[in-house]
Amino acid sequence: MPDNPTPESAATELMVPRSAGSDLTDAEIAERVDALLAEMTVAEKAGQVTQYFYFNLPPSEEIEATLNTDFSRQPAMVETALSEGKVGSLLFVTDPAEVNRLQRLAVEGNRHGIPVLFGFDVIHGLRTIMPVPIAMAASWDPTVIEQGQTVAAREARAVGIHWAFAPMIDIARDPRWGRIIEGAGEDPYLGSAVAVAQVRGFQGEALGATDRIIAGPKHFAGYGAALGGRDYDEVNLSDYELWNVYLPPFKAVVDAGAGNIMTAYMDLNGIPATGNQWLFTEVLRQTWGFEGFVVSDANAVHNLATHGFAADLTDAGARAIKVGIDLEMAITDPAYAHLPEAVEAGLVDEQTIDASVRRVLAAKIKMGLFDEPYVDEDRAREVLADPSHRRVARTAAQRSAVLLRNEADLLPLTTPSSIAVIGPLADSRRDTIGPWVFDYDSSETVTILQGIRERAGQDVKITFAPGIRPAQRTFASMFDMWGDNAPEDPVDFDDTAKLEEAISSAREADVAVVVLGEWQNMIGEAASRSSMELPGEQLALLQAVAATGTPIVLLVMNGRPLDLRWAADNIPAILDIWYPGTQGGAAVADLLFGDVAPGGKLPFSWPRTIGQIPMIYSHTISHEPDNQGRRYWDEESTPLFPFGHGLSYGRFEYTDLAMDRERIQAGDTVTVSVTVANVGERAGDEVAQLYIHQRYGSASRPVRELKGFQRITLAAGESQTLRFPLGPDELRYWNAATKDWVIDTTTIDVFVGGDSNAAQTVSFDIGS
Ligand code: BGC
């Protein structure tokens, strides 16, 4: 296990050389693209705008039926298309030798020698797995988020991948939707900061930088608001919500220079997102000036016909390319293969196709593919083995954990002589790293049990008891095609004996560390849920262990909020560790034993029960605001833990909240300052958060909105004064009455503190 790193040491190690990529100017790139285009037939152009999955998986009838795809036909079909010059890009190839083999087929297969662009879902690491994205967001630490994706990019580039289908920047306000785990939660301000940090990590200074890849933020737009939280289902969002909540992270990544954007699967306000002229032409290109290329989500162009929007595949292809979907991601039967027919039928003109081909070819030139289409297999092995990557993963896991509760300072643990580690997730390598990973090396994963064992040393007696068998999904996940994705249901498991073993291990220990949550195949894509309960017998296990009277530290492995009402009343210490990645167990042990202090904060409001969903902190004020917490007669209508909540081993006080001016004109910036002191007995991390509320104006505005945050580390007794600028970007909002962005003449209340209930307040006026 590597030494415990500091964020600074991890950052220094990651200083990778940065280069400007292709040396060509934009004009030279355009000239080169034009020269190629002039020689290409419509069929060749259609090939350049087609991207295929390349799956080399053992066929599984169940999955094939679910996805309506014949995987056994897939590799041969793609290889034929490659050797005929009919493929612009491939996804899902991660073995450098395979990358080279397939690239050779492509380069030799078309008369222009155009290489293919390799894309992949590099979501939270390739070989070195970082904590899942919602966990990274919970760090509220753009530096560590950028470092994480820098490592991911370096590993991906080394194996021959040029482009990540990440970050996922969909705002998610309904935790029934499994993909909440892939994003940054409910808030557009935090979401934008996290999105931009990831784009910087993937791309570096400029497209084509050494060891970097193209970032592909997704899914444009509104995907997180699926009806009922059911993945892929329709979305209906007002312009007000789109502009103020769902679109800002996308605007932020366009401004940050993201090279690619991916479409979304579902219908947005009655029009499939992938065929949506308003989204892709008017907003993305015309209003925001996006210059990169757009890819469809998997089969989403094809789906325009499935949705009952396009008449057939020819119509689907013509309509998608006309709205600006440059590349079609296809499993089989791409609609873009029908583009030549569409041109013949007059459904689309060739210039429209040229515009998309231009963008795809420009990306290939910028990434240096024409200069070096192949990858160095030896170097790939070296890069993947780089121990500095593991150190970044450990820091990231430390910084993303959220201490939800810590009664009587049970944490950090002070010299227990025995610890009972309990729960089936505690020693599960696969679950420790979470969903959306395929190229990990399982033997490198440090489970919670392993991490505790190694940190505690010989003198502490550690026992392990799973207590219960893993719970199972009612319906299988499509990701279960990858061997170890679903937890094994052990055959010789004596439920009564195993529960008894867990109880007696707790009884005999000084402290019990119970690890509960969702198995990783229960969260992510196609993992929507109708309940928030701990799956299986986990609550019963927790209650049985608690009945022994041994103090319990509950570690929660999750990517969405779960029903922790009983735990929040009865368990003294609760640490949300998410799916903490390759170094998860080591990082968790660092936190439990106080080698580092937790400092993450929740990136979503944590509801008490499923019936409260959607529950957001930034609701508007309505009739009887004093009764906001009693809207239901059977349950409080406040969250169990508020947005931004998270404790540390220090204790923080906020004083001297002040502003440099009491009145500004629209367009000016005011600076807010506050002093944060650690009045506790141990060092700790705090994320100071600034929220605003507009008292009146041409629209009613949310009771609070996050507009600034800073994560700091303070020794016991130390204090620091922080400054937050509030300018036009923070004060303007999209107004449904004027259908435009406005800054009102008004009074703004400012709140600063450690969560979204921050109490310290000042105000200032905006004059006309
Ligand atoms: C997901 C995308 C992903 C793509 C390729 C789709 O099902 O929605 O987010 O990038 O598959 O794996």
Side-chain angles (χ1 to χ4, degrees):
M1 203 162 40
D3 297 332
N4 192 11
T6 62
E8 293 72 26
S9 66
T12 320
E13 285 182 79
L14 275 177
M15 293 297 285
V16 292
R18 296 189 172 195
S19 85
S22 158
D23 293 335
L24 300 178
T25 62
D26 285 351
E28 287 165 334
I29 292 175
E31 205 176 303
R32 200 156 167 193
V33 167
D34 282 339
L36 280 167
L37 261 178
E39 300 292 321
M40 290 168 79
T41 63
V42 183
E44 287 170 334
K45 291 174 185 174
Q48 276 311 303
V49 292
T50 303
Q51 181 189 49
Y52 280 101
F53 278 82
Y54 185 83
F55 280 131
N56 232 336
L57 289 167
S60 140
E61 277 174 27
E62 189 186 356
I63 299 297
E64 291 191 343
T66 312
L67 297 182
N68 195 15
T69 299
D70 175 2
F71 286 115
S72 56
R73 178 161 81 84
Q74 237 261 336
M77 188 259 309
V78 175
E79 289 182 30
T80 308
L82 273 171
S83 52
E84 290 171 351
K86 290 189 184 151
V87 181
S89 176
L90 286 177
L91 72 151
F92 261 82
V93 188
T94 56
D95 172 3
E98 274 293 271
V99 166
N100 284 339
R101 183 179 70 82
L102 295 167
Q103 186 68 288
R104 198 154 277 121
L105 281 179
V107 171
E108 291 168 8
N110 71 72
R111 59 197 180 104
H112 311 290
I114 304 176
V116 294
L117 197 60
F118 286 88
F120 189 55
D121 290 279
V122 189
I123 307 297
H124 54 117
L126 187 79
R127 161 79 167 266
T128 307
I129 308 302
M130 303 292 153
V132 290
I134 193 81
M136 295 300 273
S139 73
W140 294 57
D141 180 353
T143 307
V144 89
I145 294 168
E146 181 176 343
Q147 284 169 14
Q149 298 304 31
T150 300
V151 167
R154 187 158 187 259
E155 294 187 353
R157 190 69 199 250
V159 302
I161 293 165
H162 310 113
W163 158 32
F165 308 132
M168 192 204 88
I169 60 175
D170 295 309
I171 296 294
R173 299 182 150 196
D174 186 337
R176 289 174 297 183
W177 189 57
R179 298 195 84 169
I180 186 175
I181 191 176
E182 281 181 65
E186 77 180 51
D187 185 75
Y189 185 89
L190 178 64
S192 299
V194 171
V196 167
Q198 295 193 73
V199 169
R200 276 199 308 265
F202 282 124
Q203 294 192 170
E205 294 293 302
L207 278 193
T210 307
D211 281 347
R212 307 284 180 147
I213 58 179
I214 303 170
K218 64 191 187 186
H219 308 82
F220 200 55
Y223 182 31
L227 208 64
R230 291 181 295 273
D231 207 1
Y232 315 136
D233 275 2
E234 72 205 77
V235 167
N236 293 299
L237 286 173
S238 66
D239 284 357
Y240 170 86
E241 287 170 290
L242 275 167
W243 285 113
N244 289 312
V245 178
Y246 289 84
L247 295 182
F250 286 96
K251 170 71 163 62
V253 293
V254 168
D255 291 346
N260 168 256
I261 295 283
M262 186 187 286
T263 75
Y265 276 132
M266 74 306 144
D267 288 349
L268 175 65
N269 298 333
I271 312 286
T274 303
N276 200 308
Q277 161 86 15
W278 176 77
L279 271 179
F280 287 94
T281 309
E282 290 178 37
V283 176
L284 187 65
R285 299 261 181 225
Q286 292 168 357
T287 309
W288 294 348
F290 177 64
E291 289 181 351
F293 66 103
V294 169
V295 68
S296 77
D297 202 342
N299 268 12
V301 176
H302 187 116
N303 281 351
L304 296 182
T306 318
H307 284 216
F309 181 68
D312 52 29
L313 289 186
T314 311
D315 187 31
R319 288 168 75 172
I321 206 145
K322 279 207 280 202
V323 306
I325 314 307
D326 300 308
L327 194 58
E328 176 186 9
M329 183 187 287
I331 302 181
T332 49
D333 304 326
Y336 281 3
H338 299 265
L339 284 175
E341 289 155 52
V343 172
E344 292 247 311
L347 293 174
V348 61
D349 55 38
E350 203 172 331
Q351 289 74 19
T352 304
I353 301 173
D354 287 353
S356 289
V357 178
R358 267 200 183 89
R359 294 188 192 116
V360 172
L361 290 177
K364 293 183 179 182
I365 295 172
K366 283 188 191 152
M367 293 304 286
L369 282 186
F370 283 85
D371 308 324
E372 185 45 81
Y374 302 108
V375 62
D376 178 342
E377 296 169 34
D378 291 332
R379 179 166 184 273
R381 272 184 285 278
E382 270 168 43
V383 170
L384 295 182
D386 189 335
S388 74
H389 296 188
R390 273 29 126 206
R391 285 196 274 276
V392 172
R394 184 160 171 176
T395 305
Q398 293 166 349
R399 293 181 77 76
S400 54
V402 180
L403 184 58
L404 295 173
R405 183 174 150 92
N406 194 19
E407 290 303 293
D409 290 339
L410 179 56
L411 287 177
L413 298 174
T414 40
T415 57
S417 57
S418 56
I419 304 175
V421 180
I422 295 173
L425 291 168
D427 197 31
S428 163
R429 286 170 199 256
R430 183 64 196 85
D431 292 295
T432 302
I433 54 180
W436 259 132
V437 290
F438 305 94
D439 287 273
Y440 54 90
D441 177 344
S442 199
S443 68
E444 286 177 352
T445 304
V446 183
T447 66
I448 307 309
L449 175 65
Q450 258 175 285
I452 292 176
R453 275 211 170 113
E454 289 181 35
R455 172 58 181 78
Q458 302 293 331
D459 298 339
V460 185
K461 183 179 170 213
I462 310 287
T463 56
F464 169 60
I468 52 169
R469 62 177 71 233
Q472 302 291 335
R473 286 175 57 129
T474 310
F475 302 108
S477 160
M478 65 175 167
F479 295 99
D480 295 345
M481 324 192 245
W482 281 270
D484 61 352
N485 198 57
E488 217 177 295
D489 195 5
V491 270
D492 298 329
F493 197 93
D494 180 336
D495 298 77
T496 315
K498 290 288 185 188
L499 181 60
E500 201 38 59
E501 177 197 26
I503 294 169
S504 57
S505 75
R507 202 175 282 127
E508 283 158 27
D510 289 346
V511 61
V513 174
V514 182
V515 188
L516 303 179
E518 286 184 316
W519 281 262
Q520 64 79 31
N521 73 336
M522 298 175 172
I523 180 89
E525 186 175 351
S528 295
R529 237 192 125 187
S530 67
S531 137
M532 278 175 53
E533 281 160 29
L534 286 165
E537 298 303 312
Q538 295 184 96
L539 181 57
L541 172 66
L542 182 64
Q543 290 172 335
V545 173
T548 64
T550 300
I552 296 180
V553 176
L554 172 61
L555 303 179
V556 188
M557 255 193 203
N558 61 324
R560 57 158 67 95
L562 297 167
D563 187 340
L564 290 188
R565 282 177 294 177
W566 188 87
D569 283 341
N570 295 284
I571 302 299
I574 309 177
L575 182 67
D576 193 341
I577 60 171
W578 315 99
Y579 300 95
T582 302
Q583 285 291 312
V588 167
D590 296 334
L591 292 161
L592 293 178
F593 288 91
D595 302 335
V596 290
K601 300 275 187 175
L602 290 177
F604 48 67
S605 309
W606 189 300
R608 295 167 191 274
T609 162
I610 196 88
Q612 294 180 310
I613 290 168
M615 163 154 283
I616 51 169
Y617 80 91
S618 60
H619 58 84
T620 56
I621 303 173
S622 173
H623 182 60
E624 294 184 354
D626 294 344
N627 268 338
Q628 188 68 43
R630 277 163 298 179
R631 297 289 197 224
Y632 303 112
W633 62 257
D634 61 338
E635 177 57 280
E636 295 189 42
S637 45
T638 53
L640 186 63
F641 302 111
F643 175 84
H645 169 73
L647 307 170
S648 188
Y649 296 155
R651 210 160 50 75
F652 301 97
E653 268 181 23
Y654 289 74
T655 55
D656 303 327
L657 181 59
M659 279 166 322
D660 63 348
R661 310 195 260 166
E662 284 173 6
R663 187 179 180 81
I664 60 168
Q665 299 300 312
D668 293 349
T669 298
V670 61
T671 302
V672 180
S673 58
V674 70
T675 300
V676 187
N678 181 354
V679 296
E681 280 160 21
R682 299 183 62 101
D685 270 33
E686 173 68 326
V687 181
Q689 301 158 45
L690 180 145
Y691 296 85
I692 63 168
H693 166 62
Q694 171 169 320
R695 281 197 202 162
Y696 59 92
S698 49
S700 32
R701 301 294 301 141
V703 59
R704 292 200 175 183
E705 288 177 284
L706 181 72
K707 292 295 176 181
F709 64 88
Q710 290 179 47
R711 179 165 175 160
I712 52 173
T713 304
L714 293 178
E718 196 187 352
S719 62
Q720 195 176 332
T721 298
L722 305 176
R723 287 189 172 73
F724 298 91
L726 281 178
D729 286 348
E730 287 78 25
L731 298 172
R732 67 183 195 146
Y733 67 94
W734 196 87
N735 185 302
T738 61
K739 302 211 175 302
D740 206 353
W741 296 92
V742 299
I743 296 179
D744 280 331
T745 296
T746 186
T747 300
I748 301 282
D749 295 319
V750 178
F751 307 85
V752 181
D755 64 35
S756 54
N757 290 333
Q760 283 270 324
T761 181
V762 283
S763 58
F764 67 95
D765 295 327
I766 307 178
S768 52

